[in-house]
Amino acid sequence: MLTYPNIDPVAFSLGPLSVHWYGLTYLVGFVLFVVLGRLRLRHPPYAQLVQQGQWQVRDVEDLLFIGVLCIIIGGRLGYVLFYKPGYYLAHPLEIPLINKGGMAFHGALLGSIVAMVWFAVTRRRPFWQVADFVAPCVPLGFAAGRIGNFINGELWGRLAPPDLPWGMVFPHSGSMQPRHPSQLYQFLLEGVLLFVILWLFARREHAQGRVAALFLMGYGSLRFVAEFFREPDAFLGLLPLGMSMGQWLCVPMIAAGAGVWIWAGRRAQAH
């Protein structure tokens, strides 16, 4: 049985300014997006589009800029609407306070879709071409974020068998019983494993929309599995069918991915 190493959430301070590890993990995620986006431009069909002048390196930075803005707004609104709508209806002035309650991935996903739609419309690019470009570039950013969750000692897992070698005590949980380090499970599943699957798949050209569809199905499925080991939010608990809110939000995500996969294949055959 392991004990959570009480890590100082502040990486360093510059006078009155404190730089937190969690913020640095977000910065790592943004840097990884730019690096991977530039490499993605070498994959088909983007390599050919670069030669034709339709895509360029600057597009990666532009996608990151609008994406960060929409992800922060979407992630916060997702938390407000999916997890605590009643509370924030009564306390609307707290909605912008991200340090009180945080953000929700599924809301951030909707925000990223808005960003991709905006980019596709303003640059006159097919939406699914943009979505297929972005999808393999983001899972390592998720991985960095989960490391931030672990450093903060938050989003711990459910109780684990006492003999589980990597079972970990999280004193923040109010219990000294071993738990699953679910942040690390999510780091490996939704981050590293999903990245490897998508990156290898995306190295070859596929029907437009299928890379994005694989992302939706892959993330939704891996998050659904990880949620079995993650402690549900105390104010929600488990919902119908013994599923957490995270699992219920993954169901339409998986269904949408399957629908896009089928549609993309039929559309490619029709052309």
Side-chain angles (χ1 to χ4, degrees):
M1 186 173 65
L2 307 173
T3 300
Y4 169 76
N6 192 19
I7 305 171
D8 188 344
V10 177
F12 59 90
S13 298
L14 297 173
L17 176 65
S18 295
V19 178
H20 290 247
W21 285 111
Y22 193 65
L24 291 177
T25 61
Y26 268 72
L27 179 61
V28 168
F30 300 152
V31 171
L32 285 170
F33 180 87
V34 172
V35 171
L36 294 173
R38 293 187 175 192
L39 293 175
R40 183 89 174 100
L41 289 175
R42 302 176 186 177
H43 294 170
Y46 303 99
Q48 294 87 337
L49 294 172
V50 169
Q51 293 176 356
Q52 297 166 10
Q54 297 183 42
W55 278 79
Q56 51 189 318
V57 172
R58 191 183 70 182
D59 291 328
V60 180
E61 285 88 16
D62 291 346
L63 271 168
L64 175 64
F65 177 79
I66 187 63
V68 168
L69 180 63
C70 291
I71 285 170
I72 291 175
I73 295 174
R76 182 55 175 170
L77 291 179
Y79 182 83
V80 169
L81 297 174
F82 298 151
Y83 290 87
K84 287 188 172 182
Y87 177 83
Y88 286 104
L89 184 63
H91 304 83
L93 296 181
E94 292 188 20
I95 292 177
L97 305 180
I98 296 178
N99 60 319
K100 293 187 177 182
M103 301 190 292
F105 165 80
H106 294 89
L109 175 64
L110 295 176
S112 69
I113 292 174
V114 171
M116 290 187 291
V117 169
W118 176 88
F119 183 87
V121 170
T122 58
R123 302 300 172 86
R124 298 181 181 179
R125 313 261 174 88
F127 169 77
W128 291 110
Q129 184 185 96
V130 176
D132 284 349
F133 178 85
V134 170
C137 302
V138 295
L140 287 186
F142 301 158
R146 293 308 178 191
I147 293 297
N149 294 143
F150 182 77
I151 291 174
N152 280 352
E154 61 189 5
L155 306 184
W156 50 76
R158 304 185 192 190
L159 294 177
D163 57 348
L164 185 70
W166 57 86
M168 184 171 291
V169 173
F170 289 89
H172 304 70
S173 69
S175 167
M176 297 306 290
Q177 294 179 278
R179 294 177 176 274
H180 290 281
S182 57
Q183 313 98 321
L184 302 183
Y185 295 177
Q186 292 187 262
F187 161 80
L188 293 171
L189 292 174
E190 306 156 16
V192 177
L193 178 58
L194 182 60
F195 166 73
V196 171
I197 293 171
L198 285 172
W199 196 257
L200 292 177
F201 182 77
R203 288 178 65 85
R204 295 185 179 182
E205 189 168 1
H206 301 276
Q208 198 171 96
R210 280 205 160 167
V211 177
L214 183 60
F215 169 83
L216 291 171
M217 292 187 293
Y219 182 91
S221 300
L222 294 171
R223 173 68 181 270
F224 191 93
V225 171
E227 285 282 332
F228 283 115
F229 302 96
R230 176 173 161 176
E231 183 74 11
D233 295 283
F235 55 87
L236 285 177
L238 293 176
L239 302 177
L241 302 182
M243 290 163 51
S244 67
M245 175 60 82
Q247 287 175 315
W248 275 111
L249 292 174
C250 283
V251 171
M253 188 176 180
I254 297 170
V260 171
W261 180 277
I262 295 170
W263 169 83
R266 291 177 176 173
R267 180 172 179 265
Q269 289 178 353
H271 290 175

